[in-house]
Amino acid sequence: NLNYQDYAGVGMIVGAESGNSSAARILIRFDIKDIPADSQIVSAFLSLYPSNAIGYPFTIYQVTNADWVENSATWNKYDGVNSWSVLGGDFDSNPIDTKTPVSGTWFDFNVTDIIKGYVNGSYNPQTGFLIKASSGWYSQVWHSEYTTQTLRPKLTITYLSDNSIPNANAGTDQNVGKE
């Protein structure tokens, strides 16, 4: 029941503890409030860089409790005081994406549909994501305070808004092709 934001200087951990494959999970969210609500989301990828990956798949889920606190959330508590409804975190059991990380190589979760929901208001953008390993021992990924900024988690969103969609004006109707 600890918060391992930076486990022994090697990053966020996910995986097993004493044979329990759900003992360590990652909670992560990004501030997307600057994306206009009328935007068309083309794609969205959450990218992580593992410092040590054992080769077991990671699965990403949408968290359903928006009140979790980054530096206080634990296995039992979402804010250091109040209990999760389910130990290990409250999340939608439908997986968003699954990837098998390789140490020293970026891996990307496709989170396009969830980001669309965040932007159009179908989902609360404060919920964020929960990542867990399907089985196996611990793996680590770099976190948002890692000293090498280029290896920190990133959310890459490609979108179009009314201001970015080209608007062609062909002028007044010329009755082309008519006599």
Side-chain angles (χ1 to χ4, degrees):
N1 192 33
L2 299 172
N3 179 304
Y4 291 110
Q5 183 179 6
D6 183 11
Y7 182 73
V10 295
M12 301 180 290
I13 59 172
V14 61
E17 177 181 291
S18 301
N20 182 345
S21 65
S22 299
R25 297 175 177 172
I26 294 172
L27 290 170
I28 191 168
R29 67 177 155 216
F30 295 85
D31 182 358
I32 62 167
K33 70 177 180 280
D34 292 335
I35 298 175
D38 64 345
S39 296
Q40 175 188 350
I41 304 299
V42 177
S43 65
F45 292 91
L46 190 155
S47 304
L48 300 173
Y49 195 91
S51 58
N52 177 27
I54 305 301
Y56 293 100
F58 287 7
T59 302
I60 188 168
Y61 300 87
Q62 181 183 8
V63 176
T64 56
N65 181 338
D67 296 326
W68 64 272
V69 177
E70 178 183 358
N71 294 323
S72 300
T74 67
W75 188 261
N76 296 326
K77 311 280 185 186
Y78 61 82
D79 61 358
V81 177
N82 297 295
S83 297
W84 294 104
S85 297
V86 177
L87 292 178
D90 302 333
F91 61 95
D92 183 330
S93 62
N94 295 309
I96 299 168
D97 197 5
T98 300
K99 299 291 179 189
T100 301
V102 175
S103 295
T105 304
W106 285 100
F107 67 101
D108 306 317
F109 290 113
N110 184 337
V111 295
T112 304
D113 290 339
I114 300 300
I115 297 300
K116 284 179 182 178
Y118 287 167
V119 172
N120 72 26
S122 298
Y123 305 129
N124 181 340
Q126 291 302 308
T127 56
F129 301 98
L130 181 142
I131 301 165
K132 67 178 198 170
S134 61
S135 63
W137 199 243
Y138 288 124
S139 292
Q140 296 93 18
V141 296
W142 293 123
H143 53 76
S144 61
E145 286 82 31
Y146 183 56
T147 54
T148 305
Q149 292 183 8
T150 57
L151 298 181
R152 293 177 179 176
K154 57 186 174 182
L155 179 63
T156 305
I157 304 171
T158 303
Y159 67 92
L160 301 172
S161 69
D162 286 341
N163 296 332
S164 64
I165 299 173
N167 190 7
N169 182 352
T172 59
D173 185 4
Q174 300 296 314
N175 293 319
V176 177
K178 295 185 178 180
E179 295 185 24

